[in-house]
Amino acid sequence: MKVLAFVGSPRGNGNTARMVDAVCKGAAAVGHDIETINVTRLNIHDCTACCACKVGKVEYCALNDDMQKLYPKIIEADCIVVGTPVYMGQMSGQLKNFFDRWYTFMDASYKIRYIPGKKYITVTASGAPAEIFQSLTDYLNHWLGTFFKMALIKNIVAGGLGPPDAIDDQPEILAMAEQTGRALR
Ligand SMILES: Cc1cc2nc3c(=O)[nH]c(=O)nc-3n(C[C@H](O)[C@H](O)[C@H](O)COP(=O)(O)O)c2cc1C
């Protein structure tokens, strides 16, 4: 299985990245192919609403930036891991820009293409206790699950996090993340 993981935190080795890495470590241990991409390191323009993707003018998107190399990777992946810190009660802006560019996964007739049926795992990290931002998990499940028709494997939610390595004090979450990757079939 190809597991493609996206980290939406500018902290390359922060809490989100550590949890995503734990999922990937577990998945790699049982033989899955892993690739992790930090979207904050890439040139991902915000959607300009040109709607070229809705009139069949382009394969994916008219904007010529790093999304052009991400689209084929997303389409080839069997499982997508999405990790984000909670910023102002939501996913990070960088990750939201990335998701706006998924508009192309609705074709010209507004039918979802390429991604239905893929598995997905969400990872969220917040300063406040984990249960405070259930709305972010609900949002991700709505768009990835209900709207894009992907199959939820697990929502990994951690709270009480400040410094980039704070998650190391919650080894049970890291163990659960690793087990989630290890259980991927
Ligand atoms: C711009 C910004 C906004 C934040 N907003 C929130 C928030 O609304 N609620 C919260 O609990 N934590 C908030 N935090 C704290 C982060 O969610 C928390 O430190 C998280 O562990 C960061 O993950 P990271 O280490 O992967 O970057 C915010 C942090 C930053 C930098």
Side-chain angles (χ1 to χ4, degrees):
M1 183 186 294
K2 287 191 176 176
V3 179
L4 180 61
F6 292 105
V7 173
S9 171
R11 289 169 160 181
N13 195 24
N15 298 296
T16 307
R18 286 169 198 242
M19 287 188 277
V20 168
D21 284 349
V23 173
C24 290
K25 184 178 168 194
V30 293
H32 299 306
D33 288 342
I34 310 300
E35 182 172 2
T36 304
I37 295 170
N38 187 314
V39 298
T40 77
R41 303 287 188 267
L42 300 181
N43 174 28
I44 299 178
H45 201 282
D46 38 302
C47 175
T48 60
C50 73
C51 291
C53 64
K54 295 289 162 286
V55 291
K57 273 191 183 167
V58 292
E59 189 175 9
Y60 302 122
C61 180
L63 295 170
N64 189 18
D65 62 7
D66 287 339
M67 281 305 293
Q68 296 298 341
K69 57 186 182 213
L70 295 189
Y71 288 128
K73 288 179 187 287
I74 293 167
I75 291 165
E76 279 168 22
D78 301 297
C79 177
I80 295 190
V81 183
V82 173
T84 183
V86 174
Y87 281 180
M88 311 309 282
Q90 253 291 355
M91 72 180 78
S92 68
Q94 296 95 324
L95 193 74
K96 181 61 166 58
N97 272 346
F98 164 74
F99 272 137
D100 285 353
R101 300 285 298 282
W102 285 35
Y103 200 45
T104 189
F105 293 143
M106 267 187 295
D107 70 11
S109 55
Y110 292 86
K111 188 169 170 280
I112 308 297
R113 59 180 179 175
Y114 301 130
I115 52 175
K118 292 184 190 299
K119 297 176 169 60
Y120 77 95
I121 295 166
T122 68
V123 173
T124 54
S126 64
E131 61 276 11
I132 301 289
F133 294 106
Q134 180 61 37
S135 58
L136 173 54
T137 299
D138 292 344
Y139 177 92
L140 290 167
N141 286 337
H142 174 75
W143 285 101
L144 296 175
T146 309
F147 188 79
F148 281 127
K149 299 182 172 46
M150 296 168 68
L152 174 64
I153 299 297
K154 186 101 177 161
N155 298 128
I156 299 169
V157 182
L161 304 167
D165 61 353
I167 192 64
D168 293 355
D169 294 333
Q170 299 184 43
E172 68 287 357
I173 300 270
L174 292 172
M176 182 260 281
E178 186 172 334
Q179 182 51 35
T180 300
R182 201 175 272 275
L184 273 176
R185 296 286 178 274

